[in-house]
């Protein structure tokens, strides 16, 4: 009987042991499975997929920030905004249960400050599934911040040394550290200043992995406060607070008996402050935090020095006796630390609990008062596109990127008739922006003219012409001396435009020469000379013939005979006939000296000396052709380029005005692009801007700074542009320009924004349906790359179609202008048959 019972007991024991072993194996297996699942989940992505956002803020938001940004109160108010942001994170319900235990929590984010290549940048890495929530919170608290998705940073060097460690609290989580409310300056300055000393070829990163803490983190603090208020020391209260309910009850009975025989202990002022600190910490949202600092350098000593400098900056938060303090832990095995750093994993063993006030003291975006050098600031603020701006239309301008939303921006031709004004320093992307617009107009079959003082713009456009528009291209290049194209300013389309053409030429001379060199007598004489040479509409004279008009009486008489205008005839028959030879010679010499500088230049003479222009400007406009003008100053000469550009723009203006003879609805839109336009316009620009719209000549004017529009203290051109242009695109400009343009874009953009706009970015103000829209930020797309072979082919076709052989042109000019020995104009023999 006993033997059977013993046997049964043994069997029960074996069975229990087997169950225990099985359970132990199952637990071990579960933990092993958990380890690999967590490890692989971070490598695989999925629910753990993360995205890195770079956060930048403007250095100065307003004048008030500049003036009062260094006061302690202002600094604390600015930092408190970040505390509000952390309150939203701490308010999230902490994940719990078997799924969170087995797979790991997925609601963790990383706040990082990284110094790399000499620049300190702020990042937030968040799980993809809460990205929208985080961006909403950031935008709510930091409306001026730019949030940009970026590739993950990498401070490591393949041949460098990496050192690192993490920070823990020396005491219990319930005890607080010193926060920004107790410090007289921004605590972030000490940290970023230490990072600013890192050389450009080295790197340092501070990482805070953050998640909402479970509510139980406050339990110990509440108990400690309760027991300390009853007279216990902190150590006694901590011990009591960590006891079980039964142990606490027994300790209470013992304490009660002791109190009967002993007078109750009083709390010291320092302990009262300690109690207040614990209560204040527990009163705010809590966050589980890992703090890691990693340094990388080619030299181990340099990496260690950089690490130590950053670690020392955290001493400012320590409360040594009645609060908490940081301690540095440098693990002997860096592999796990680096793995957790790279994948931004929360390590329970490294975890501490901080409230929102403490974490905001350690990490917040730089303030307007921050003086740390080499911080990556937002160059300028961005603004959303107004809802009335078209998101589809005739011309794609670019896109607006605001708070993670990308909106395409268009302009309709009806609004483009109010003209475009583009201004920005060199290197801001004006040529790209112009080329992007021109190519769209060309592909849409529209008429286009581009006046380029550099040559690169029109050459790139030539290399991108679509096949169906090859026959529409006219490429005017004055430096092509072998086949010059004629450009006669004295060629008027009809009698009504003679006076306009003459007045434009007078204005051109005022633009080319100092005012003291041009006076009423010059203007009077030049006007009559030009009107005389324009007397024959079918066979007009040229500027090259003015010197002969002065020196050759027979030539002069031939032209006077064609004059029908009584005022012009009076000039010759009454005024000039009664002028003494001395005064006549003096006046004529003064006149000839101004025209001679162009006539004496062979390249210019072969262009302006041809009686007929190589192409009909009215035909180009009405038929929607493409006129590309290369006025490269390096090849043409600055004064020559300016003269030709002024003539071209004036002739296009004349052609537009002659459209009065057709109904407005039959006039095709023609788009005239002028880069560095201040060189190619006269004070009559106000007339062009106000009147040309009716004739559908739409101007796109670009240049570098507004001082270019002021000559000899006269602001009429600048005033005409600002008063008549409806659509403005302003990139990075100088402080002088902000005095004028700042008034146009306030309060959306400040002068600081206008001076610090990024490349390919434009502060834009558009006319939409004849109403002015609010300013917004526009980013432009890159135009397509040109084909050099196509450019060469089209250039050759154009020069053969519109240019004339140099020898033939020179002989004709010699005959007309009396230059050299007169020879009969003989056409060159046809090419030999192949």
């Amino acid at each position: 009987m006993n033997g059977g019972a013993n046997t049964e007991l043994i069997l029960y024991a074996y069975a229990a042991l087997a169950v225990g072993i099985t359970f132990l194996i199952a637990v071990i297996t579960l933990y092993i499975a958990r380890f690999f699942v967590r490890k692989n989940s971070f490598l695989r992505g999925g629910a753990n997929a993360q995205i890195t956002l770079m956060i930048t803020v403007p250095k100065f938001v307003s004048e008030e920030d500049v003036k009062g940004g260094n006061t302690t109160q202002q600094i604390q108010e600015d930092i408190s905004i970040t505390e509000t942001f952390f309150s939203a994170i701490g308010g999230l319900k902490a994940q719990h249960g078997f799924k969170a235990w087995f797979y790991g929590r997925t609601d963790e984010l990383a706040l990082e400050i990284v110094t790399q290549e000499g620049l300190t940048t702020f990042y937030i890495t968040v799980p993809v599934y809460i990205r929208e929530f985080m961006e909403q919170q950031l935008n709510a608290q930091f409306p001026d911040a730019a949030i940009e998705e970026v590739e993950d940073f990498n401070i490591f060097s393949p041949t460098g040394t990496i050192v690192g460690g993490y920070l823990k609290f020396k005491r219990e989580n319930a005890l607080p550290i010193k926060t920004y409310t107790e410090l007289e300056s921004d605590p972030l300055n000490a940290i970023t200043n230490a990072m600013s000393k890192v050389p450009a070829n080295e790197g340092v990163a501070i990482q805070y992995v953050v998640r909402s803490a479970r509510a139980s983190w406050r339990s110990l603090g509440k108990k400690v406060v309760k027991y300390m208020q009853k007279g216990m020391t902190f150590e006694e209260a901590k011990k009591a607070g960590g006891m079980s309910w039964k142990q606490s009850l027994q300790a209470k009975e013992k304490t009660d008996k002791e109190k009967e025989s002993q007078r109750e202990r009083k709390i010291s002022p320092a302990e009262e402050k300690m109690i207040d600190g614990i209560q204040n910490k527990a009163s705010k949202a809590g966050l589980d935090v890992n703090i890691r600092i990693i340094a990388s350098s080619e030299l181990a000593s340099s990496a260690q020095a950089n690490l130590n400098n950053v670690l020392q900056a955290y001493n400012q938060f320590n409360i040594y006796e009645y609060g908490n303090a940081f301690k540095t832990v440098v693990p002997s095995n860096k592999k796990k630390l680096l793995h957790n750093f790279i994948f931004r994993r929360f390590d329970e063993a490294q975890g501490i609990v901080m409230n929102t006030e403490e974490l905001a003291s350690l990490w917040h975006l730089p303030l307007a008062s921050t003086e740390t050098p080499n911080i990556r600031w937002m160059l300028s603020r961005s603004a959303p596109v107004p809802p009335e701006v078209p998101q589809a239309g005739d011309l794609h301008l670019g896109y607006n990127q605001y708070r993670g939303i990308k909106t395409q921006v268009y302009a309709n031709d009806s609004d483009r008739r109010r003209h475009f004004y583009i201004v920005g320093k060199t290197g801001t992307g004006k040529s790209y922006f112009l080329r992007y617009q021109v190519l769209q107009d060309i592909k849409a079959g529209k008429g286009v003219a581009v006046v380029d003082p550099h040559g690169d713009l029109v050459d790139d456009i030539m290399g991108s012409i679509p096949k169906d528009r090859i026959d529409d291209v006219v490429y005017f290049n004055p430096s092509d001396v072998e086949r010059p194209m004629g450009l006669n300013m004295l060629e008027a389309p009809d009698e009504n435009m003679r006076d306009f053409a003459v007045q434009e030429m007078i204005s051109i001379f005022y633009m080319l020469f100092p005012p003291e060199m041009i006076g009423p007598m010059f203007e009077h004489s030049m006007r009559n000379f030009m009107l005389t040479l324009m007397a024959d509409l079918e066979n007009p004279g040229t500027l090259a013939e003015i010197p002969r008009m002065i020196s050759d009486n027979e030539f002069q008489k031939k032209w006077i005979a064609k004059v029908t205008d009584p005022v012009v005839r009076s000039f010759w028959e009454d005024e000039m006939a009664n002028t003494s030879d001395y005064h006549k010679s003096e006046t004529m010499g003064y006149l000839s000296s101004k025209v001679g500088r162009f006539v004496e230049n062979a390249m210019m003479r072969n262009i302006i000396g041809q009686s007929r222009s190589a192409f009909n400007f009215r035909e180009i406009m009405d038929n929607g052709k493409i006129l590309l003008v290369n006025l490269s100053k390096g090849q043409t000469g600055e004064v020559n380029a300016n003269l030709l550009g002024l003539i071209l723009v004036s002739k296009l203006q004349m052609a537009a005005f002659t459209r009065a003879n057709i109904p407005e609805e039959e006039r095709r839109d023609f788009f005239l692009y002028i880069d560095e336009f201040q060189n190619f316009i006269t004070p009559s620009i106000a007339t062009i801007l106000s009147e040309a719209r009716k004739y559908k000549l739409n101007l796109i004017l670009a240049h570098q700074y507004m001082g270019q529009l002021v000559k000899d203290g006269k602001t009429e051109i600048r005033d005409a542009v600002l008063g008549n242009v409806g659509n403005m695109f302003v990139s990075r400009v100088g402080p002088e320009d902000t005095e004028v343009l700042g008034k146009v874009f306030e309060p959306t953009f400040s002068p600081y924004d206008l001076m610090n706009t990024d490349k390919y970015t434009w502060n834009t103000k558009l006319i939409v349906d004849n109403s002015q829209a609010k300013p917004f930020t526009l980013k432009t797309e890159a135009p397509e790359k040109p084909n050099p072979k196509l450019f060469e082919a089209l250039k050759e076709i154009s020069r053969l179609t519109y240019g004339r052989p140099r020898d033939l042109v020179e002989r004709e000019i010699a005959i007309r202008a009396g230059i050299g020995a007169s020879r009969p104009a003989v056409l060159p023999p046809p090419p030999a048959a192949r």
Side-chain angles (χ1 to χ4, degrees), residues 765-804:
K765 198 169 185 181
L766 295 181
I767 287 286
V768 181
D769 294 333
N770 225 22
S771 297
Q772 189 76 67
K774 289 184 177 180
F776 64 94
T777 307
L778 177 74
K779 292 183 177 291
T780 55
E781 305 278 5
E784 63 185 74
K785 292 184 178 180
N787 181 349
K789 292 183 179 179
L790 177 61
F791 160 68
E792 293 295 338
L794 288 181
K795 182 175 71 171
E796 189 64 21
I797 291 173
S798 181
R799 70 191 293 267
L800 292 175
T801 303
Y802 298 98
R804 301 177 67 206

Side-chain angles (χ1 to χ4, degrees), residues 34 203 233 249 295 369 376 382 420 429 438 447 452 458 491 575 588 604 630 662 756 766 822 828:
R34 175 189 176 215
T233 65
L249 187 63
S369 59
R376 187 192 296 273
S382 59
F420 282 9
V438 171
D452 178 18
V458 292
E491 178 186 34
E575 184 176 337
M588 297 303 102
M604 290 296 291
N630 181 345
I662 61 174
N756 293 278
L766 295 181
S822 298

Side-chain angles (χ1 to χ4, degrees), residues 331-349:
S332 56
N333 184 2
K334 294 182 295 186
K335 186 175 180 180
K336 182 180 179 182
L337 177 70
L338 293 177
H339 181 271
N340 289 340
F341 171 81
I342 293 170
F343 292 101
R344 298 175 175 89
R345 296 185 61 175
F346 190 90
D347 190 333
E348 301 286 352

Side-chain angles (χ1 to χ4, degrees), residues 574-585 587:
D574 299 328
E575 184 176 337
M576 294 300 294
N578 296 316
T579 302
S580 66
D581 291 341
Y582 173 78
H583 289 97
K584 186 185 298 183
S585 174
T587 302

Side-chain angles (χ1 to χ4, degrees), residues 437-670:
Q437 295 179 46
V438 171
L439 291 178
Q440 289 185 73
D441 285 337
I442 289 174
K443 291 177 181 178
K446 298 173 183 176
V448 170
V450 183
V451 180
D452 178 18
H454 308 296
D456 295 337
L457 174 60
V458 292
D459 289 355
D460 288 342
I461 292 170
M462 282 268 284
S464 304
I465 299 290
K467 292 181 179 179
D468 61 326
R469 302 223 58 190
I470 288 176
D471 294 336
D472 293 335
V473 176
V474 179
Y475 181 72
F476 179 73
N477 182 8
S479 63
D480 184 1
V481 294
E482 295 305 319
R483 292 193 69 86
M485 295 183 188
L487 187 63
N488 185 10
M489 186 59 191
L490 303 187
E491 178 186 34
D494 55 52
E495 293 184 2
N496 297 326
M497 296 305 296
R498 284 175 178 168
D499 286 332
F500 177 84
V502 169
Q503 187 55 45
E504 282 298 291
M505 278 305 303
I506 297 295
S507 297
I508 287 172
F509 278 103
Y510 272 110
M511 294 291 293
L512 296 176
F513 298 98
E516 59 271 16
M517 295 182 64
I518 307 291
M521 289 303 297
F522 170 84
E523 184 177 338
H524 174 66
S525 300
M526 179 61 79
R527 178 180 288 108
N528 282 281
F529 269 79
M530 288 191 292
L531 285 172
T532 302
L533 290 170
M534 296 172 73
D536 187 352
L537 285 176
E538 298 300 322
N539 189 24
T542 68
L543 290 178
E545 292 166 56
I546 288 180
R548 188 176 180 185
M549 281 281 290
I550 297 171
S551 61
D552 189 336
N553 289 330
E554 292 301 320
F555 185 75
Q556 186 182 106
K557 291 177 182 179
K558 186 182 75 171
W559 278 103
I560 294 173
K562 299 179 181 181
V563 175
T564 58
D565 189 327
V567 176
V568 179
R569 290 193 70 90
S570 175
F571 168 78
W572 293 105
E573 294 174 356
D574 299 328
E575 184 176 337
M576 294 300 294
N578 296 316
T579 302
S580 66
D581 291 341
Y582 173 78
H583 289 97
K584 186 185 298 183
S585 174
E586 186 180 55
T587 302
M588 297 303 102
Y590 186 67
L591 189 70
S592 181
S593 65
K594 304 298 178 294
V595 180
R597 69 180 301 169
F598 303 111
V599 176
E600 292 162 7
N601 181 289
M603 179 191 72
M604 290 296 291
R605 182 173 64 246
N606 289 343
I607 295 171
I608 65 174
Q610 296 189 49
S611 61
R612 287 295 176 187
S613 297
F615 36 85
N616 186 304
F617 289 87
R618 173 67 184 272
E619 181 185 339
I620 286 177
M621 295 182 70
D622 289 348
N623 295 336
K625 290 185 177 293
I626 303 164
L627 173 61
L628 303 177
V629 181
N630 181 345
L631 296 178
S632 173
K633 294 178 181 178
Q635 296 177 327
T636 307
E638 184 173 0
V639 176
N640 293 336
N642 291 348
L643 173 65
L644 294 173
L646 286 161
I647 293 174
L648 283 161
V649 173
S650 294
K651 291 188 79 67
L652 284 167
Q653 184 182 356
M654 279 194 295
F657 288 169
T658 61
R659 284 180 154 191
N661 61 8
I662 61 174
E664 186 173 349
E665 62 273 11
E666 294 181 14
R667 302 167 192 164
R668 293 181 61 173
D669 281 294
F670 189 83

Side-chain angles (χ1 to χ4, degrees), residues 169 173-175 213 217 281 286-289 351-355 358:
F169 281 152
N173 287 324
L175 290 173
W217 77 273
K281 180 166 183 175
L287 300 129
D288 293 333
V289 183
I352 58 176
V353 179
M354 307 179 76
N355 72 1
E358 292 174 320

